[in-house]
Every structure is written in C-alpha cells, then in structure tokens.
Amino acid sequence: MKRRNTPSKQAVLSVITKAGKAMSQDAIEEEIAIDINRATIYRVLNRFCDDGVLHKVMAEDGKQYFALCETYDTKAATHQHFHFKCTKCDTVECLPNQVNFSIPDGYLVESVNCVLTGVCKNCS
Amino acid sequence: MKRRNTPSKQAVLSVITKAGKAMSQDAIEEEIAIDINRATIYRVLNRFCDDGVLHKVMAEDGKQYFALCETYDTKAATHQHFHFKCTKCDTVECLPNQVNFSIPDGYLVESVNCVLTGVCKNCS
DNA sequence: ATTACTAATGCGATTTATTTGCAATAATTT
DNA sequence: AAATTATTGCAAATAAATCGCATTAGTAAT
Ligand SMILES: [Mn+2]
Ligand SMILES: [Mn+2]
Ligand SMILES: [Zn+2]
Ligand SMILES: [Zn+2]
C-alpha cells in the first residue's frame, strides 16, 4: 500500500503546519481552503499518524487533536511531552516539557497521553 | 439541591469501591447487581465527581473512567497522578506516581489528565 | 402517618465524534 | 494509453455521553 500524493493530503498538512498547534478534524475542516469530506480528513489524519508525520492527542473533551511530529520524536517513536488545552480559545499545543514517570515493575508502557487543561497565555 | 440517598448511588459506589480501580459506565453497568438506566449511571457518576467522591479520567480510547478519590486528593481538589490503562484487560488504575510538570509563564493549569497505555502486570 | 417539596429516575430521543462499506475517482507504474 | 489500486465522497453505522420530560420516591415538615 504505497502512499499517493493528493490535494487532500497536502491541504491537511499545510493547515496543521501553518497553525503550528494541534488541531481537531472540525477545526481543520473550517480552516481548509478546498472542500474535503469529513471521513477523508479523518483518513488522511490517521494515515499521517501511521506514517509518523502526525501524532494524536486525546483531550479531556473527548476529541482527538492532531499535531506535527518534531524530528526528535519521529525517530524515537515516542511523544512523551505534555500538551496544553486552553478552555477559552480551545487551542491545543505541544509543550516542550518531557513527561517523566516511573511505573511499577512488570508494566509495559506503549503510549503516553498527557494533557493539561486551563487558560493559555494569550487568554489570561 | 441537597443530595438524596438512593439505591442507584449506593450500588454504583459499591461497585467502584469493590473493584478498586477506575471504571467506565458500561463496565459499571455490567458489574452492577440491580438494573440501573444508563443515563442514571452517568448522572450518579457526575454528581459524585461534583461532590469530590470520584474523579474522571479521559483515556486514549475516548472513554471516561471514574475512580475513587483518595483522602489526600479530596482535600487538595487535585488529582495530579498518573493513570494506567491496560490494552489487554481494559483495566484503568490510578498509579501512586504524582505528575510533576512546569509550564511557561502566564499559563494557568486547572486540571491534569495523564494516562499511560500499555500492558499491565497481570497481563504481561 | 400524611403531606409537600423537589431530587432522582427511566425512557426515548438527541448530540457529537469517529468509523465503515461501497461504488466512483484519480495517482502512479507499466 | 492501459492497468492497478490507493484514495475519495457519500450515506449509513457506531459509540459515548447528554438531555427533555413525565413519573417516582427520598426527605423533612406537619
Ligand atoms: Mn486517579
Ligand atoms: Mn466519542
Ligand atoms: Zn487560550
Ligand atoms: Zn491488564
């Protein structure tokens, strides 16, 4: 299943890149220039996640937010940094802070989902 | 709005207490002895959260899990500890580890949702 | 014990986010 | 240009959680 280059792919990636923050499907659809079907946007996003281009964050509001993978976490395949979701502007951003944790013996951690919710700098 | 003591409340709290872990609505409904409507279970759970008896965790699977508040976090009204969700047994548990983070100036953190996903001790 | 007040419940319908089946389209290779 | 098949659009399906509203049932006052 070789990936193909399509307008949808380009448009979605462009919007997220320009935004410089994590975005939900509906935010992307709003922001995007061309008309792309909802299901297609989700499929594009999930493919990007599979390919290590984006990573997915589940916020407290039960919605998925998608953000660019930085080069450093692409390699390690880990995205163990905090995210911040502002309740005023609904923005979700990746924080530079690494999540560090220690778990009891015998536990295997496969993914990390850490979201801080509150009010961002712009909104306070 | 004074709270009343009902069989539903007692049953829900009893199930969660016995389980000793965080549970989702459907898991509670399965485990519970008496028949309680889905909406009622959610309402009971959310009331318990409002009252500081339970706290709510949003997992990567997009489902809410409810766990008992320990006495120490009841007082501080903060639940800044890690949670672990096992992909094999679907168990969500509160870990003793405190989440510590530092955020840029001007940000106000109101809640913390940190979930590690992987394989638990029992399942590995 | 009876009554009055209203919190809590059951039920169905609704909302919201995300996924899926399938036929049609279009990117890529030959 | 033809063949191959990844990708798309559309509608329908899932799935989690909430909501409106009439009914039930705790609780406290009489
Ligand atoms: Mn917990
Ligand atoms: Mn959902
Ligand atoms: Zn903000
Ligand atoms: Zn397990």
Side-chain angles (χ1 to χ4, degrees):
Chain A
M1 42 163 129
K2 234 161 284 172
R3 295 274 124 94
R4 295 178 182 179
N5 197 20
T6 70
S8 301
K9 271 183 70 168
Q10 297 173 291
V12 168
L13 195 56
S14 157
V15 165
I16 296 183
T17 304
K18 272 182 206 146
K21 53 173 189 175
M23 297 181 82
S24 60
Q25 179 277 322
D26 56 294
I28 292 169
E29 189 170 348
E30 266 179 28
E31 210 65 26
I32 222 162
I34 60 179
D35 233 59
I36 311 180
N37 182 267
R38 179 178 43 244
T40 301
I41 296 180
Y42 275 114
R43 282 188 281 227
V44 166
L45 289 169
N46 286 325
R47 260 176 255 142
F48 275 137
C49 286
D50 290 343
D51 297 346
V53 177
L54 299 179
H55 64 284
K56 190 187 292 194
V57 183
M58 175 62 67
E60 280 186 22
D61 63 2
K63 289 170 66 177
Q64 301 177 342
Y65 291 80
F66 299 84
L68 274 180
C69 287
E70 304 296 333
T71 41
Y72 52 82
D73 53 35
T74 308
K75 284 172 191 157
T78 57
H79 309 283
Q80 308 193 340
H81 53 266
F82 281 101
H83 297 87
F84 187 91
K85 172 160 196 299
C86 176
T87 52
K88 305 243 171 149
C89 64
D90 273 338
T91 285
V92 175
E93 51 187 307
C94 299
L95 297 179
N97 310 68
Q98 195 81 1
V99 178
N100 37 25
F101 53 86
S102 59
I103 42 163
D105 273 348
Y107 285 72
L108 173 65
V109 175
E110 286 164 345
S111 64
V112 173
N113 191 83
C114 289
V115 183
L116 311 177
T117 302
V119 184
C120 80
K121 190 169 193 172
N122 287 345
C123 295
S124 65
Chain B
M1 41 162 128
K2 231 162 286 173
R3 295 273 125 92
R4 294 178 181 179
N5 197 18
T6 69
S8 300
K9 272 183 70 166
Q10 297 173 291
V12 168
L13 195 56
S14 157
V15 165
I16 296 183
T17 304
K18 272 182 206 147
K21 53 172 187 174
M23 295 181 82
S24 61
Q25 180 278 324
D26 56 294
I28 292 169
E29 189 170 348
E30 266 179 26
E31 211 66 28
I32 222 162
I34 60 179
D35 234 57
I36 311 180
N37 182 268
R38 180 181 39 248
T40 301
I41 296 180
Y42 276 114
R43 281 187 282 228
V44 166
L45 289 170
N46 285 326
R47 260 176 254 142
F48 275 138
C49 286
D50 291 343
D51 297 347
V53 176
L54 299 180
H55 64 284
K56 189 187 293 196
V57 183
M58 175 63 66
E60 280 187 24
D61 63 2
K63 289 171 65 177
Q64 301 177 341
Y65 291 80
F66 299 84
L68 274 179
C69 286
E70 303 296 332
T71 41
Y72 51 82
D73 54 33
T74 309
K75 284 172 191 157
T78 57
H79 309 284
Q80 307 193 340
H81 52 266
F82 282 101
H83 297 87
F84 187 91
K85 170 159 198 299
C86 176
T87 52
K88 305 243 172 154
C89 64
D90 273 337
T91 284
V92 175
E93 51 186 307
C94 298
L95 297 180
N97 311 67
Q98 194 81 1
V99 177
N100 37 26
F101 54 86
S102 59
I103 43 163
D105 273 349
Y107 285 71
L108 173 64
V109 175
E110 286 164 344
S111 64
V112 173
N113 191 83
C114 289
V115 182
L116 311 177
T117 303
V119 184
C120 80
K121 190 168 190 170
N122 288 344
C123 295
S124 65

